[in-house]
Amino acid sequence: MENKKYSLLIIALYCYPGHVKDIVKHLVEINPLIDITILTNKPDDYKDLMDKFTEICFYNVSSVDWIKSRKLRVLATKYKQIRFFSKFCKNRRYDIINIHFANRYMSFVYKYLRSMSNNIVMSPWGSDILRRPEKNLEQLSYLYQKADYVTIPAESDFGKLMTQKMKVSPEKMINYGIWGSDVVDFAIKNGNAISQEDAKIYFGLENRYVITCGYNKQEAQQHKTIIQAIDQVRNQLPNNLTLLFPMSYGGWTTTDKYGEEIKKECEQRKLHAVFVTNYLSVEELYKLRKATDMFIHVQTSDAGARSVYEYILCNKKIINGSWVRYKGLEKYKPLFYFPVDKLENLGEVIVQAYNSDNIKIPQEVMDIVLSRGWNKKIKMLNDFFMSIV
């Protein structure tokens, strides 16, 4: 599809800016004709891309957390949000409004959003739905039901959850999601140039058997449960075992104290552990995947995390909680992972995976994984945006 100009308002309030910047960066690269406005509460996080945007708008609504009464706090937040958007929407019109990581208060300003565009596209991240208290979903679901489109990952079970929890019509769902992976693109271009041995040396893990525990700092990754399970079966695992904890992402929902707790757990059990706390480049992320021998993914919920696909691409042994479904991938056999049904069985499955050969990933699964690169994803997204304006 030939590029055409359109105006896009991205509403990115109280969410990790890195993901939003990825989308914007790749959109502008593939279609320089787009006029992009970002509405954020953290404008400084986007200054490095200022030359790419039409403008960055600052969402300036002061906190009301000091109000002790929950009912009054909700009313105050509602009032402030309505007041802000009633002013913001004046003399503004966009071809598309794309809303990320929405909160329930945004349902109060739907009429202002609608006054600015005929195309409202919701892009849930997963945790903003899956880990939100049920009592808060009713108001948020109003916004999803009123939106024109909802982007979801086709390979996960998230669409079913959106229908059940948020009452979103399946006809509104765009079944390819909005997230691509720079790591997949890097691997396609450079993968054969980096060996597992070189990747281990880079992280100081040479001659170590590396089990990577989760992919971010959020407590939902259940790091402590993983540590306890490994400790129970350590005599059946190699003596050169190292637990690797990627904890550079996710810190905005937990505190630094949590990371220290995980370190202490490992020290008390005399388990050798390495913590990655710096944000990694695309090449470094790929090396981290390559350095891994086994990846344990037992977080409480997931909507199709890119990290899982990247470990599949690197043909790693993956232990996956059976409650986290990837139906689009699981229909091909053998399964790309070693399933664990109950956390109390995690140690047993770790030993099973360690003693087993690598799973031969079905070609159909690998084809889907390779399609998750930004090069393909962003073209799909740009084509979709152009098709609705």
Side-chain angles (χ1 to χ4, degrees):
M1 185 182 298
E2 186 178 350
N3 279 336
K4 65 179 179 181
K5 186 174 182 177
Y6 59 90
S7 57
L8 172 66
L9 170 64
I10 296 179
I11 299 180
L13 305 176
Y14 307 107
C15 59
Y16 174 60
H19 289 343
V20 180
K21 288 166 69 174
D22 278 346
I23 294 171
V24 173
K25 178 183 69 174
H26 289 290
L27 267 178
V28 171
E29 285 176 355
I30 198 172
N31 186 356
L33 300 177
I34 309 172
D35 284 334
I36 299 180
T37 300
I38 296 181
L39 179 60
T40 176
N41 61 307
K42 296 181 178 180
D44 289 345
D45 289 331
Y46 296 90
K47 282 186 176 178
D48 58 326
L49 294 179
M50 277 288 286
D51 59 325
K52 303 288 186 181
F53 307 137
T54 302
E55 63 177 325
I56 296 178
C57 300
F58 180 45
Y59 177 85
N60 188 16
V61 176
S62 57
S63 171
V64 294
D65 290 343
W66 56 271
I67 301 177
K68 293 183 178 181
S69 168
R70 180 181 174 276
K71 186 175 181 179
L72 290 177
R73 195 163 58 245
V74 169
L75 289 173
T77 304
K78 176 180 176 180
Y79 169 76
K80 285 176 173 288
Q81 192 134 342
I82 290 174
R83 186 178 180 185
F84 174 87
F85 275 94
S86 65
K87 294 180 179 180
F88 179 81
C89 74
K90 289 181 179 178
N91 302 317
R92 290 181 180 272
R93 188 74 186 167
Y94 301 94
D95 293 316
I96 302 166
I97 296 177
N98 187 203
I99 303 174
H100 292 262
F101 216 91
N103 59 57
R104 61 195 176 106
Y105 297 108
M106 293 199 71
S107 63
F108 301 134
V109 299
Y110 167 76
K111 69 176 182 178
Y112 300 112
L113 299 175
R114 181 56 73 189
S115 73
M116 291 189 288
S117 181
N118 293 327
N119 296 296
I120 297 177
V121 181
M122 304 294 296
S123 292
W125 288 22
S127 58
D128 48 346
I129 303 296
L130 298 172
R131 295 173 197 155
R132 190 177 296 274
E134 292 289 337
K135 61 184 179 181
N136 291 346
L137 286 179
E138 185 176 349
Q139 289 173 327
L140 185 57
S141 66
Y142 173 83
L143 186 60
Y144 275 87
Q145 292 164 30
K146 288 290 186 180
D148 300 290
Y149 307 96
V150 179
T151 61
I152 60 168
E155 302 87 25
S156 76
D157 218 12
F158 194 61
K160 181 179 178 181
L161 290 170
M162 289 298 294
T163 302
Q164 294 175 344
K165 278 193 170 188
M166 309 300 287
K167 311 301 179 186
V168 175
S169 170
E171 289 75 26
K172 291 185 177 183
M173 296 186 195
I174 308 303
N175 291 307
Y176 54 74
I178 201 168
W179 307 113
S181 168
D182 282 319
V183 172
V184 169
D185 289 333
F186 179 88
I188 292 172
K189 186 177 181 180
N190 306 289
N192 293 331
I194 300 175
S195 68
Q196 183 182 41
E197 181 181 359
D198 288 341
K200 286 190 176 187
I201 290 173
Y202 182 84
F203 287 102
L205 298 169
E206 57 268 36
N207 302 318
R208 308 295 300 182
Y209 186 87
V210 180
I211 296 181
T212 299
C213 308
Y215 61 80
N216 65 34
K217 191 181 177 183
Q218 293 183 358
E219 294 183 46
Q221 297 287 332
Q222 306 199 84
H223 300 105
K224 293 180 181 180
T225 299
I226 295 173
I227 293 168
Q228 291 164 7
I230 289 174
D231 187 37
Q232 291 169 2
V233 297
R234 61 191 307 168
N235 62 339
Q236 300 177 64
L237 297 174
N239 293 328
N240 61 340
L241 175 66
T242 290
L243 306 189
L244 179 62
F245 294 89
M247 305 191 81
S248 54
Y249 166 67
W252 79 94
T253 56
T254 59
T255 64
D256 290 336
K257 181 181 176 182
Y258 177 68
E260 293 302 316
E261 290 175 359
I262 300 305
K263 286 183 180 180
K264 189 174 181 180
E265 284 275 343
C266 293
E267 290 170 356
Q268 289 178 340
R269 299 171 189 274
K270 294 182 171 54
L271 290 168
H272 184 258
V274 170
F275 293 79
V276 178
T277 57
N278 296 327
Y279 282 95
L280 304 179
S281 68
V282 173
E283 181 176 350
E284 289 173 322
L285 281 171
Y286 180 65
K287 287 179 178 178
L288 187 143
R289 312 299 187 229
K290 289 284 285 187
T292 296
D293 293 290
M294 182 189 301
F295 170 56
I296 300 180
H297 180 244
V298 291
Q299 66 170 317
T300 54
S301 59
D302 183 35
R306 288 178 291 184
S307 298
V308 174
Y309 289 78
E310 291 157 8
Y311 282 110
I312 295 173
L313 178 63
C314 293
N315 199 30
K316 300 302 177 179
K317 292 181 178 181
I318 298 173
I319 294 177
N320 186 66
S322 58
W323 56 89
V324 181
R325 303 303 304 274
Y326 297 85
K327 287 193 173 180
L329 303 178
E330 290 170 356
K331 64 182 180 181
Y332 303 108
K333 298 295 182 287
L335 282 177
F336 66 87
Y337 61 82
F338 295 87
V340 55
D341 296 325
K342 299 178 181 179
L343 287 175
E344 50 262 41
N345 298 333
L346 179 56
E348 175 186 334
V349 177
I350 291 171
V351 173
Q352 175 197 346
Y354 170 67
N355 290 322
S356 301
D357 295 330
N358 281 9
I359 293 171
K360 182 175 175 55
I361 305 296
Q363 187 57 49
E364 295 90 346
V365 171
M366 194 60 72
D367 289 342
I368 293 173
V369 170
L370 291 171
S371 73
R372 287 294 297 263
W374 269 118
N375 289 340
K376 292 189 176 182
K377 277 286 182 180
I378 204 63
K379 184 181 186 306
M380 295 170 66
L381 182 62
N382 183 54
D383 286 349
F384 163 63
F385 281 163
M386 290 193 298
S387 73
I388 64 176
V389 299

